[in-house]
Amino acid sequence: MDELLEILQDLHPEIDFDSCDTLVDDKILDSFDIVTIISEVNETFDVVISAEYIKPEYFNSAKALYELIEQLEDE
């Protein structure tokens, strides 16, 4: 989780990613941010976030995104 938080903090250091669960809903993350996150996550965690997973519920919080990463690692 620390590696994911570091990726997110690099994009938006002003956001508390530990507690925020409306990153997409509140338009904190835009489409460019999401593309950047996907690229960084793919490289860092050696997983592939395919188009089927590019949904707000997976990107609204660091916790949800980390759960997706764990799910992809198990596949």
Side-chain angles (χ1 to χ4, degrees), residues 7 11 31-41:
I7 291 168
L11 282 175
S31 58
F32 181 74
D33 291 332
I34 291 173
V35 169
T36 302
I37 291 166
I38 290 170
S39 174
E40 291 287 327
V41 164

Side-chain angles (χ1 to χ4, degrees), residues 13-54:
E14 73 282 5
I15 303 300
D16 179 7
F17 288 100
D18 286 318
S19 64
C20 187
D21 61 0
T22 55
L23 296 171
V24 175
D25 293 343
D26 287 348
K27 297 179 178 33
I28 295 167
L29 297 180
D30 61 21
S31 58
F32 181 74
D33 291 332
I34 291 173
V35 169
T36 302
I37 291 166
I38 290 170
S39 174
E40 291 287 327
V41 164
N42 288 350
E43 185 177 310
T44 302
F45 294 95
D46 196 28
V47 297
V48 176
I49 299 177
S50 59
E52 69 185 283
Y53 295 111
I54 303 174

Side-chain angles (χ1 to χ4, degrees), residues 58-71:
Y58 294 119
F59 290 88
N60 256 331
S61 70
K63 182 180 183 230
L65 184 53
Y66 192 70
E67 288 172 1
L68 173 62
I69 293 165
E70 287 182 319
Q71 175 186 333

